[in-house]
Amino acid sequence: MSTHYPTPVTPKQTRIGWIGIGVMGGAMASRLISAGYAVTIYARTPSKATPLLSQGAHLVSSPAELAALSDVLFTMVGHPSDVKHVVMDTFLPSVNPNTVIIDHTSSHPGLARHIYESALEKQCYSVDAPVSGGDIGARDGKLAIFAGGDKDVVEWLRPLFDVLGKVTYMGGSGKGQSCKIANQITVGANLVGLSEGLVFAEKAGLDQGKFIEAVRCGAAGSMVMELFGERMIKRDFRPGGFAQYMVKDLGLGVDVEEGDEDNATVLPGAGLSKQLFSGMVANGDDKLGTQGIITVIERINGKLDKH
């Protein structure tokens, strides 16, 4: 490690580049700025960068310029196709040797491995580090971060990860993404279960708030309930993560690619969760938060006043 990284990560000398300043990415970049890091950003819509610029971030006109000016590059974009375009087509042709690329996007493990190998050819490193914790976790620096890649590189990056949340090293490249898929399978099932519990409680004549209070300290309690229970009751569907991304994430677990049939895992619950979240998208609610899945359960039960 000392050969490639003689200088520890510090706010005074580590140059940060960031692409993807949506609900999650914007909050994460903001935390790094607040921690004293020099953060440079690229935004397709520059006006969306105004809050970060007011904190002291710098804005560049292209991803290539961003890559050339950064020691550590962060991406938090939407889909694997976006990751491939940003990293493979724009970052890697422009990076300096020993640059580290951190992809926080929920993406495909195979793509993460391809990026890792391509980065090594450029004498650079990549870490797949998807996160869980939603907008609140991003804002408060309490994200769960699942890291795949070289362990010593992840350790070198720890000062950055510690600003954002708690990092767990999962193994070689792609393992962070595999962990996030497993995470989403679990979260999706929890969201569906919580939605059904709330809908049943209401139809049974229970006060939904009292129901949550009664069960939250028992076996039914979960972080999903803590994050989203009150939001569901109050019809607060502002996104911490878009419903359309949950469909994408669950698809990474249940959709079998041609030629990979022997490695497929049978996941009936995840398949049902994907179908229900796809119902949200079909209803035009793709940009609502994942807690909006309760609207699908309500529709099935004849309640059409979803918002």
Side-chain angles (χ1 to χ4, degrees), residues 104 127-130 143-148 154-155 157-162 164-170:
H104 284 307
V127 173
D128 50 293
L143 292 171
I145 306 168
F146 319 121
V154 172
E155 286 301 316
L157 294 166
R158 188 171 289 276
L160 297 172
F161 288 138
D162 286 347
L164 305 176
K166 179 182 178 181
V167 64
T168 302
Y169 177 68
M170 302 307 303

Side-chain angles (χ1 to χ4, degrees), residues 2 103 173 175 211 219 241 288 302:
S2 60
D103 181 28
S173 61
K175 291 297 191 291
F211 160 69
L288 294 185

Side-chain angles (χ1 to χ4, degrees), residues 1-6 98 125:
M1 191 61 167
S2 60
T3 300
H4 300 293
Y5 299 103
N98 294 330
Y125 298 88

